[in-house]
Amino acid sequence: MTPFAYTRAATQDDALAMGSGDGVMFLGGGTNLIDLMRERLALPDRLVDVSALPASIVETGTGALVIGAAVRNTALAEHPLVRTRYPMLTRAILAGASAQIRNMATVGGNLLQRTRCTYFYDVEGSRCNKRTPGTGCDARDGFNRIHAVLGASDACVATHPSDMCVALAALEAVVHVAGPLGHRTLPFSELHRLPGDRPDHDTVLTPGELITAVELPPLRLAANSTYRKVRDRSSYAFALVSVAAAIEMAGDRIADVRIAFGGVAHKPWRALTAEAMLRGGPATAQAFLAAGQAEFAYARPLRDNGFKPILATRTLAAVLGALTTGDAA
């Protein structure tokens, strides 16, 4: 591991002051960043530890929940208001990693974790535009079973690894950011970038910016929600496909719906096409399958992952069917 300096921030202002300049990175729980440093995929000159910043979950006057970036994943999953109002978020967090990792990992760090593409981690043996722009992407013609079918580019076909982020995309979360130019908020759907020709830029954050909180809006339909993860084994595996969904019925018609997919794109994929097809229509298996097929109409599967659009569509139909019959628990 390359030598680096370490400082610990006591306040947000301290963190921003310490986080300015080249070669500085913020450290939360370290469950991804330390791995990246061991593999020489991240080479900071200085780490600014922000894990001591306030880790609160506060309900606002409008009914929204503001979650501090330093909140541990376990604490978020177990919070009573999250469990009752946003069950998909609790289930998404519990589907990811081990209990020990969830106890360490922070909300802010979860949003910023990098891809688990094998070729990205193979520093000595593989070409990777996400690691070194302009060198090529060996995943395109390599073993690409876990890779993207939506939103990819010739430069990169990696997928985003987070389970939590899929739920946050479906819940239309808002990200609070502080940096050298002050504070700003952005819709969760705008935080992560599609790869284009610069897949090394995972997010729209600028140097020195720090995620301070994530805000969950008071969505009524979110109480009837769930998260389902399909993977090769039941523990410690990243999603081949995952679905976060919430639905609200008005009689036998769908009044409102929110859907996001994981494991299919460079970022958590909000299924706006599927949502638009379902809103106002019947809650039938045929409608659910048709909506999923429409969402993946422009999928570009690789050699080994042509099953993903079918698997994602069938998983969506199963999840929505369970939610409309009360069997999603």
Side-chain angles (χ1 to χ4, degrees), residues 75-86:
L76 179 60
E78 294 178 348
H79 195 279
L81 292 181
V82 175
R83 291 171 63 89
T84 55
R85 296 184 188 177
Y86 310 95

Side-chain angles (χ1 to χ4, degrees), residues 234-326:
S234 61
S235 63
Y236 315 136
F238 295 99
L240 292 172
V241 162
S242 66
V243 175
I247 196 166
E248 182 178 15
M249 300 297 297
D252 61 352
R253 315 297 284 187
I254 299 170
D256 203 1
V257 63
R258 298 289 188 280
I259 302 165
F261 289 100
V264 299
H266 203 75
K267 61 186 285 185
W269 189 266
R270 177 74 183 277
L272 296 175
T273 298
E275 290 178 6
M277 283 190 63
L278 290 169
R279 235 174 246 117
T284 64
Q286 293 80 4
F288 300 153
L289 287 170
Q293 290 163 355
E295 190 66 45
F296 286 89
Y298 297 100
R300 296 172 56 193
L302 302 165
R303 184 194 62 220
D304 300 323
N305 65 4
F307 65 90
K308 280 198 174 189
I310 299 169
L311 179 60
T313 295
R314 291 178 178 174
T315 304
L316 174 65
V319 166
L320 293 178
L323 286 171
T324 53
T325 59

Side-chain angles (χ1 to χ4, degrees), residues 56-58 60 64-71 76 82 86 89 106-112 164-165 167-169 171-177 185-188 191-192 211-217:
S56 58
I57 301 175
V58 178
T60 70
L65 285 187
V66 178
I67 303 157
V71 170
L76 179 60
V82 175
Y86 310 95
L89 181 55
T106 62
V107 169
N110 191 293
L111 271 56
L112 297 177
M164 177 194 292
C165 287
L168 293 176
L171 292 170
E172 298 180 333
V174 175
V175 182
H176 293 246
V177 177
T185 61
L186 63 156
F188 190 84
L191 173 65
H192 299 100
I211 294 174
T212 60
V214 174
E215 182 175 348
L216 299 179

